[in-house]
Amino acid sequence: VREGADTRGRPLARINDHLQDVAFGTWHSVSYRLEHPGDASVAQDVASCLLLPPNTTEVPLPLIVEVYPGTVPRCEPRTPILSYPNPNSPYLWAGRGYAYARIALPRDYIGTEDGPIAGMDEAVDAGLDALLATGHVDPDKIVLSGFSQGAVSALYVAAHSHRFAAIIARNGWADLTSHYFGPPGIYSILDPDYFGSEFIRYEAEAGSEFSIGQTPFDAPEAFYRNSPVLLAKQIDAPVLLMHSDMDSFSMDQFDEMYSALLRAGKDARYVRYWGEGHGPSSPANIRDMWARFNAFMEEVGAVPAVGGPSLE
């Protein structure tokens, strides 16, 4: 570059220019005091994030509550960066007329002596109370959702709280003991050295959302009481399970969970995607997933009074 040359970039073309005027909804920060589940004298101020759908006049709204252990969400107003087609985007829920929330679940406030996420139901309840206080949320249309580590978390919370109209759990696990010993999904086919790769998740004394610090040999009761598959009898809300055969979490985990729910006489349905990894990535399966979300919401009566656009 010669001295004094103009090095500023020059736009050559705009991609998806029609999206520039799309209304994605508005994020709101909802602050509240969160008490430690093991010691009420210990508390901190936290904020959960609430996304309200665009151009809506309906109040209160059905709510999708997303949980993931260790989450400390950022709630500042922002315009979404659509760098790739994210099939799990919260804006897809907002575009259908749902409110969407990311609940604050700091790692130090969800673990107790009973287990690494044993206090999560209390933290979720505190977040829900704060969200309901805004007046934006319909208490009879709250759906709990979790993906990956959030899936086992959502199933655990569902067994200890009866505030939800339905549960969606995707691409996670459900039995801590068989997850500890079992095959690591697709990696068990690719390389036998991956067997046992989940041990550290539980044996760690810190640094993992599922730290127990002991093996199932030494603390079988901790693995038992924190496994949603063994808590299926306590889950009252309808459950939608989704998993994929090429995930790093074995699909067998949700085979177990579905069987447990059916054996306990619960309302459950199970969708398995083939040739997919950690969630659907093909256009056809993404469309199918969202069509099933739509149908499930209608079945459980958690749809907006004025529905958003459909994928159909």
Side-chain angles (χ1 to χ4, degrees), residues 20 26 60 72 79 96 98 125 142 155 159 170 183-184 199 210 241 244 271 276 294 299 309 312:
Q20 298 302 311
T26 306
V72 182
T79 300
R96 285 163 173 74
Y98 293 87
D125 277 346
I142 301 175
L155 292 168
R170 300 186 296 126
F199 292 3
F210 290 85
L241 300 172
S244 311
V271 181
E276 295 283 13
N294 291 340
E299 289 176 22
E312 301 301 318

Short mmCIF file of all heavy atoms in Angstrom, two decimals, residues 20 26 60 72 79 96 98 125 142 155 159 170 183-184 199 210 241 244 271 276 294 299 309 312:
data_model
loop_
_atom_site.label_atom_id
_atom_site.label_comp_id
_atom_site.label_asym_id
_atom_site.label_seq_id
_atom_site.Cartn_x
_atom_site.Cartn_y
_atom_site.Cartn_z
N GLN A 20 -32.73 -6.19 6.74
CA GLN A 20 -32.32 -4.99 7.48
C GLN A 20 -33.47 -4.36 8.24
O GLN A 20 -33.26 -3.73 9.28
CB GLN A 20 -31.72 -3.96 6.49
CG GLN A 20 -30.48 -4.46 5.77
CD GLN A 20 -29.38 -4.86 6.72
OE1 GLN A 20 -29.05 -4.12 7.64
NE2 GLN A 20 -28.81 -6.04 6.51
N THR A 26 -37.51 -7.37 21.42
CA THR A 26 -36.75 -6.51 22.33
C THR A 26 -36.35 -7.27 23.59
O THR A 26 -37.19 -7.90 24.23
CB THR A 26 -37.59 -5.29 22.74
OG1 THR A 26 -38.07 -4.63 21.58
CG2 THR A 26 -36.75 -4.32 23.56
N PRO A 60 -51.05 -11.33 28.95
CA PRO A 60 -49.70 -11.88 29.04
C PRO A 60 -49.40 -12.85 27.89
O PRO A 60 -50.30 -13.30 27.18
CB PRO A 60 -49.72 -12.62 30.37
CG PRO A 60 -51.15 -13.04 30.53
CD PRO A 60 -51.99 -11.96 29.91
N VAL A 72 -24.93 -17.05 33.10
CA VAL A 72 -25.08 -15.69 33.62
C VAL A 72 -25.32 -14.83 32.40
O VAL A 72 -24.39 -14.29 31.79
CB VAL A 72 -23.82 -15.23 34.40
CG1 VAL A 72 -24.03 -13.83 34.95
CG2 VAL A 72 -23.48 -16.21 35.51
N THR A 79 -28.84 -5.70 18.53
CA THR A 79 -29.38 -6.19 17.27
C THR A 79 -28.73 -7.53 16.97
O THR A 79 -27.52 -7.66 17.06
CB THR A 79 -29.08 -5.20 16.13
OG1 THR A 79 -29.68 -3.95 16.45
CG2 THR A 79 -29.63 -5.72 14.81
N ARG A 96 -42.76 -16.10 16.46
CA ARG A 96 -44.02 -16.83 16.53
C ARG A 96 -44.96 -16.28 17.61
O ARG A 96 -46.01 -16.85 17.87
CB ARG A 96 -43.74 -18.32 16.78
CG ARG A 96 -43.24 -19.03 15.55
CD ARG A 96 -42.58 -20.36 15.88
NE ARG A 96 -42.28 -21.08 14.66
CZ ARG A 96 -41.30 -20.78 13.83
NH1 ARG A 96 -40.51 -19.75 14.09
NH2 ARG A 96 -41.10 -21.46 12.72
N TYR A 98 -44.04 -15.75 20.94
CA TYR A 98 -43.70 -16.18 22.30
C TYR A 98 -42.72 -15.20 22.94
O TYR A 98 -41.83 -14.67 22.27
CB TYR A 98 -43.03 -17.56 22.29
CG TYR A 98 -43.92 -18.70 21.85
CD1 TYR A 98 -44.05 -19.03 20.51
CD2 TYR A 98 -44.63 -19.45 22.78
CE1 TYR A 98 -44.86 -20.07 20.09
CE2 TYR A 98 -45.45 -20.50 22.38
CZ TYR A 98 -45.56 -20.80 21.04
OH TYR A 98 -46.37 -21.84 20.64
N ASP A 125 -37.20 -21.15 39.90
CA ASP A 125 -38.41 -20.59 40.52
C ASP A 125 -38.23 -19.10 40.83
O ASP A 125 -39.14 -18.29 40.61
CB ASP A 125 -38.74 -21.34 41.81
CG ASP A 125 -39.52 -22.62 41.56
OD1 ASP A 125 -40.03 -22.79 40.44
OD2 ASP A 125 -39.59 -23.45 42.49
N ILE A 142 -46.16 -21.57 30.48
CA ILE A 142 -44.71 -21.54 30.59
C ILE A 142 -44.15 -22.90 30.18
O ILE A 142 -44.54 -23.93 30.74
CB ILE A 142 -44.27 -21.21 32.03
CG1 ILE A 142 -44.84 -19.85 32.46
CG2 ILE A 142 -42.76 -21.20 32.14
CD1 ILE A 142 -44.56 -19.50 33.91
N LEU A 155 -34.97 -31.54 32.49
CA LEU A 155 -35.66 -32.74 32.98
C LEU A 155 -35.57 -32.84 34.50
O LEU A 155 -36.55 -33.23 35.17
CB LEU A 155 -35.08 -33.98 32.32
CG LEU A 155 -35.35 -34.11 30.81
CD1 LEU A 155 -34.49 -35.21 30.20
CD2 LEU A 155 -36.83 -34.39 30.55
N ALA A 159 -38.83 -32.44 37.32
CA ALA A 159 -39.17 -33.42 38.35
C ALA A 159 -39.35 -32.78 39.72
O ALA A 159 -39.89 -33.43 40.63
CB ALA A 159 -38.08 -34.50 38.42
N ARG A 170 -33.60 -31.57 24.49
CA ARG A 170 -32.98 -31.96 23.21
C ARG A 170 -31.49 -32.26 23.37
O ARG A 170 -30.76 -31.50 23.98
CB ARG A 170 -33.17 -30.82 22.18
CG ARG A 170 -34.62 -30.49 21.91
CD ARG A 170 -34.77 -29.48 20.78
NE ARG A 170 -34.19 -28.19 21.12
CZ ARG A 170 -33.29 -27.56 20.38
NH1 ARG A 170 -32.84 -28.10 19.25
NH2 ARG A 170 -32.83 -26.38 20.74
N PRO A 183 -20.95 -45.29 26.35
CA PRO A 183 -20.19 -44.83 25.19
C PRO A 183 -20.43 -43.36 24.91
O PRO A 183 -21.54 -42.85 25.11
CB PRO A 183 -20.75 -45.70 24.05
CG PRO A 183 -22.14 -46.05 24.49
CD PRO A 183 -22.06 -46.19 25.98
N PRO A 184 -19.41 -42.65 24.43
CA PRO A 184 -19.53 -41.22 24.13
C PRO A 184 -20.10 -40.96 22.74
O PRO A 184 -19.49 -40.31 21.90
CB PRO A 184 -18.09 -40.73 24.25
CG PRO A 184 -17.28 -41.91 23.80
CD PRO A 184 -18.03 -43.13 24.28
N PHE A 199 -15.96 -39.45 32.41
CA PHE A 199 -15.63 -39.61 33.83
C PHE A 199 -15.33 -38.27 34.49
O PHE A 199 -15.83 -37.96 35.57
CB PHE A 199 -14.39 -40.51 34.00
CG PHE A 199 -14.61 -41.95 33.63
CD1 PHE A 199 -15.82 -42.40 33.13
CD2 PHE A 199 -13.58 -42.87 33.80
CE1 PHE A 199 -16.00 -43.73 32.79
CE2 PHE A 199 -13.76 -44.21 33.47
CZ PHE A 199 -14.97 -44.65 32.96
N PHE A 210 -21.40 -30.38 36.48
CA PHE A 210 -21.89 -31.63 37.06
C PHE A 210 -20.86 -32.26 37.99
O PHE A 210 -20.80 -33.48 38.14
CB PHE A 210 -22.31 -32.59 35.95
CG PHE A 210 -23.56 -32.14 35.23
CD1 PHE A 210 -23.49 -31.24 34.18
CD2 PHE A 210 -24.80 -32.57 35.65
CE1 PHE A 210 -24.63 -30.80 33.54
CE2 PHE A 210 -25.96 -32.12 35.04
CZ PHE A 210 -25.88 -31.23 33.97
N LEU A 241 -39.05 -35.09 23.75
CA LEU A 241 -37.63 -35.42 23.70
C LEU A 241 -37.18 -35.43 22.25
O LEU A 241 -37.90 -35.92 21.36
CB LEU A 241 -37.37 -36.81 24.30
CG LEU A 241 -37.76 -37.02 25.77
CD1 LEU A 241 -37.61 -38.50 26.12
CD2 LEU A 241 -36.89 -36.17 26.69
N SER A 244 -30.24 -37.14 18.35
CA SER A 244 -29.64 -37.45 17.05
C SER A 244 -28.66 -38.61 17.20
O SER A 244 -27.98 -38.72 18.22
CB SER A 244 -28.90 -36.23 16.48
OG SER A 244 -29.70 -35.07 16.54
N VAL A 271 -38.64 -37.81 19.35
CA VAL A 271 -38.25 -37.66 17.95
C VAL A 271 -36.75 -37.95 17.84
O VAL A 271 -35.96 -37.36 18.57
CB VAL A 271 -38.54 -36.23 17.43
CG1 VAL A 271 -38.15 -36.11 15.96
CG2 VAL A 271 -40.01 -35.88 17.63
N GLU A 276 -27.57 -36.86 11.93
CA GLU A 276 -27.39 -35.52 12.50
C GLU A 276 -26.47 -35.60 13.72
O GLU A 276 -26.41 -36.62 14.43
CB GLU A 276 -28.72 -34.92 12.93
CG GLU A 276 -29.69 -34.65 11.77
CD GLU A 276 -29.33 -33.40 10.98
OE1 GLU A 276 -28.21 -32.88 11.16
OE2 GLU A 276 -30.17 -32.96 10.20
N ASN A 294 -44.24 -26.54 16.84
CA ASN A 294 -45.54 -25.90 16.66
C ASN A 294 -46.68 -26.84 17.07
O ASN A 294 -47.61 -26.44 17.79
CB ASN A 294 -45.73 -25.49 15.20
CG ASN A 294 -44.82 -24.35 14.78
OD1 ASN A 294 -44.30 -23.62 15.61
ND2 ASN A 294 -44.61 -24.21 13.48
N GLU A 299 -50.76 -28.85 21.12
CA GLU A 299 -51.26 -29.97 21.91
C GLU A 299 -51.36 -29.63 23.38
O GLU A 299 -52.30 -30.04 24.07
CB GLU A 299 -50.34 -31.19 21.73
CG GLU A 299 -50.43 -31.85 20.37
CD GLU A 299 -49.43 -32.99 20.26
OE1 GLU A 299 -48.99 -33.51 21.32
OE2 GLU A 299 -49.07 -33.35 19.12
N PRO A 309 -45.89 -16.28 12.53
CA PRO A 309 -45.79 -16.98 11.26
C PRO A 309 -45.38 -18.43 11.45
O PRO A 309 -44.69 -18.78 12.40
CB PRO A 309 -44.70 -16.20 10.51
CG PRO A 309 -43.90 -15.53 11.57
CD PRO A 309 -44.87 -15.23 12.67
N GLU A 312 -44.75 -23.82 7.98
CA GLU A 312 -45.42 -24.62 6.97
C GLU A 312 -45.66 -23.83 5.70
O GLU A 312 -45.89 -22.64 5.74
CB GLU A 312 -46.75 -25.15 7.52
CG GLU A 312 -46.54 -26.00 8.78
CD GLU A 312 -45.64 -27.20 8.54
OE1 GLU A 312 -45.79 -27.86 7.50
OE2 GLU A 312 -44.76 -27.47 9.35
#
